[in-house]
Amino acid sequence: MRLHLQFSRYVVVGVTATLSHYSVLVGLVELGKWPPVPATLVGFVVGGIISYTLNRRHTFATDRSHSEATWRFAVVVSSVFCLTYLLMNFFVNRLGAPYLPAQMVTTGMLMFVSFFSHRLWTFARAAQS
């Protein structure tokens, strides 16, 4: 699939996953009175489940088995999860930024890292034996 079409699909899936992530984040902060950093990490997990399911089917159309793609996805997402924690902690707790703009900047920064990681490794064609 051409890079621009694949990236466009990734963005659409990402918007869906991000809306879910942000809904959980805002709900936990505003209704549940959670601190923003743990709330965003819970939202991240919800968005990750949606992202895997939709990207596997619609963006990358991989031939990798679920067992192989899932652990690869988990490695990439775990790395992005840690980077999300570090960036959100820096923006919110160190700089005193409001949590939603901080989350938007964090999401934008990490979108490219995750796309290319998934394209080149997580969902890349499995080697034929």
Side-chain angles (χ1 to χ4, degrees), residues 5-33:
L5 177 59
Q6 194 172 46
F7 186 73
S8 296
R9 288 182 179 186
Y10 187 78
V11 169
V12 170
V13 168
V15 166
T16 303
T18 299
L19 286 174
S20 300
H21 174 168
Y22 285 26
S23 295
V24 170
L25 167 62
V26 172
L28 290 175
V29 170
E30 301 301 330
L31 301 175
K33 304 302 181 204

Side-chain angles (χ1 to χ4, degrees), residues 2 5 39 42 45 51 53 62 70 87 100 104 122:
R2 291 184 173 203
L5 177 59
V42 172
V45 170
S51 177
T53 303
T62 187
T70 302
L87 289 169
L100 280 176
M104 288 178 203
T122 305

